[in-house]
Amino acid sequence: MKLFGTDGIRGTINQYPMIPELCMKVGMSLCFILKQRISHKPKILIGKDTRISGYMIESALTAGITSMGGDVYLVGPIPTPAIAFLVKSMRQDAGMVISASHNPFPDNGIKIFSNDGFKVSEDIENTIEKFLNEPDFPQSRPQAKALGKAFRIEDAVGRYIEFVKSTLPKNFTFEGLKVVIDPANGAAYKITPTLFRELGAEVITINDKPDGLNINRECGALYPQELIKKVIETQANLGIAHDGDADRTILIDEKGNIIDGDIILSIWATELKKQKKLKKNTVVATVMTNSGVENYLKTQGIKLIRTQVGDRYVVEEMLKGGYNLGGEQSGHIVCLDYSCTGDGAITAVQVAYIMMKNGKFLSELTKEISRYPQLLKNIRIPERISKEEAIKKLEDLNFKISKLQQEIKGRILIRPSGTEPKIRIMVEEEDPGRANKILEELEELVKQKLY
């Protein structure tokens, strides 16, 4: 069974692979790899979101790392992108985030970052998996005097807030801006509200009282209905929703419309091009990005390059092509001018800055961007078969998909989720009725193959 997906290891807590024994071995494996590459005692930064299971995994990782002679620096609940920043600024050798992102609280996961702030390569992930599958790993362990220590870093949140503020022009403020923030009872429950208050905005918060069990529960980026209601009720200028680890942001305009990652990417790209700061006048997105958005970008003289779903693939393409802006429909937006990964807080302040600088409501900035209707369906893979087996079973549908694709103006996409045991179906078509009919037909065919 392959453990690493598109965003680290993830699963239901106290079920394989998210059991403390394996988590401890992940820490041991990472530390062992680092010791082969560096001449000093490894230093590894660990952050987490607000899930109750974070305590267990944090302790297991710490035990594994220190047992192999590495030092651990604990920062507590903090967004994933904060670890990407801190691992560089604190000169750490690696960073780990304990989070299952947008998943409900029974799930958790582990994401690993290199000392340059980027997610570790697939080579390192494969090496970790190899060690995890070796029953006699490690063959030797350090003596007592060579064990590592664990330290708690108290000012990590403040460091990250100051970093996000530094992405704006000096002395620029959000005075006169009224925002409602929904951090999904997750890792940014203190950070984003504090950030906007310190920048001068009037801030209203909802779902900012995590109890270990309520992360992502009918709130945040995946469930923005309460945020929409609050924005309209309070006559706010902007609504901001994160997921559990705040590497993504979905916005709500002053009229209550959802502004997803596709639209955010378009707004930001257009502004950067206007400032002559969009490298090669190109943005990187995924196969999920709406064709209507691609058409809009063309009118602005901006090229869109697509990758497979997963922010790691977006970043890989950005680095390969020398581009500085990319993202996903889900709200992961990466600007390499500031961060090495999707950063929800930076995305929020940058869009607010674009609004304030241009003196426009968010609805005005988005009015020219149209989208084709896009219908989505998720089908859970039965426990009796692996994701790889499911993909193989669905290969027979390729001819049918190609035939349907020729009959519509939009796009059809069937793909496995990179983070959950699910098959995702997407139908994009100008005619919603036609799209729905095709979606139902494909759903039935997929179920027949899997069940």
Side-chain angles (χ1 to χ4, degrees), residues 121-368:
S121 67
E122 289 187 10
D123 285 344
I124 289 180
E125 290 180 347
N126 292 336
T127 304
I128 291 173
E129 286 203 17
K130 181 172 80 71
F131 290 143
L132 295 178
N133 289 317
E134 290 180 3
D136 57 344
F137 172 82
Q139 286 81 11
S140 62
R141 302 171 190 253
Q143 295 180 348
K145 63 181 179 181
L147 294 178
K149 298 178 181 178
F151 306 88
R152 187 153 301 273
I153 308 301
E154 301 294 345
D155 63 344
V157 166
R159 292 189 193 202
Y160 175 62
I161 287 174
E162 289 306 308
F163 162 65
V164 176
K165 286 159 67 175
S166 75
T167 68
L168 296 172
K170 195 173 182 182
N171 300 323
F172 189 90
T173 75
F174 290 154
E175 287 182 20
L177 186 72
K178 187 175 185 179
V179 299
V180 182
I181 298 173
D182 180 354
N185 293 310
Y189 76 100
K190 287 182 180 178
I191 286 174
T192 305
T194 301
L195 175 63
F196 273 82
R197 285 194 186 101
E198 290 186 359
L199 287 167
E202 179 184 346
V203 176
I204 300 163
T205 57
I206 59 174
N207 301 308
D208 60 340
K209 296 175 177 58
D211 61 10
L213 310 178
N214 60 2
I215 186 171
N216 297 320
R217 184 192 292 165
E218 296 183 3
C219 61
L222 263 64
Y223 303 96
Q225 291 75 21
E226 185 183 352
L227 179 59
I228 292 169
K229 183 180 176 183
K230 198 71 173 178
V231 166
I232 294 171
E233 176 189 304
T234 60
Q235 298 183 313
N237 307 114
L238 178 66
I240 300 166
H242 296 312
D243 62 339
D245 69 334
D247 61 354
R248 66 168 75 176
T249 287
I250 294 295
L251 302 175
I252 308 299
D253 72 17
E254 79 286 356
K255 296 179 180 179
N257 298 309
I258 297 173
I259 309 300
D260 67 10
D262 282 352
I263 308 297
I264 293 170
L265 195 61
S266 302
I267 296 168
W268 201 344
T270 302
E271 181 67 23
L272 286 177
K273 184 173 185 290
K274 196 163 67 175
Q275 298 173 18
K276 296 183 168 47
K277 292 180 179 178
L278 184 65
K279 291 184 179 177
K280 301 184 180 180
N281 289 331
T282 299
V283 296
V284 180
T286 76
V287 291
M288 290 299 294
T289 291
N290 197 286
S291 297
V293 166
E294 184 173 14
N295 293 339
Y296 167 78
L297 289 171
K298 280 180 185 175
T299 68
Q300 304 301 307
I302 298 171
K303 180 182 177 183
L304 183 140
I305 295 175
R306 294 180 186 270
T307 72
Q308 61 180 302
V309 174
D311 64 333
R312 73 179 302 151
Y313 303 114
V314 171
V315 171
E316 282 174 8
E317 184 64 33
M318 291 169 70
L319 292 172
K320 186 173 78 174
Y323 313 119
N324 62 333
L325 187 67
E328 297 188 278
Q329 190 180 72
S330 60
H332 289 113
I333 309 295
V334 183
C335 183
L336 291 179
D337 297 340
Y338 307 125
S339 184
C340 304
T341 190
D343 192 310
I346 288 178
T347 299
V349 299
Q350 288 298 318
V351 175
Y353 166 66
I354 293 168
M355 289 170 58
M356 298 286 284
K357 179 189 172 192
N358 290 281
K360 290 184 177 181
F361 290 112
L362 190 51
S363 63
E364 294 178 87
L365 293 172
T366 62
K367 66 182 180 182
E368 295 179 12

Side-chain angles (χ1 to χ4, degrees), residues 373-375 408 411-412 425-429 435 438-439 442:
Q374 201 176 72
L375 302 182
I408 65 173
R411 298 179 301 128
I412 295 170
I425 306 174
M426 184 274 283
V427 178
E428 185 182 86
E429 162 61 17
I438 292 172
L439 185 68
L442 290 172

Side-chain angles (χ1 to χ4, degrees), residues 7-28:
D7 204 14
I9 302 172
R10 193 175 297 185
T12 302
I13 203 68
N14 269 343
Q15 295 179 25
Y16 188 88
M18 295 314 300
I19 54 175
E21 304 95 303
L22 186 131
C23 294
M24 183 173 70
K25 208 168 178 181
V26 169
M28 296 172 77

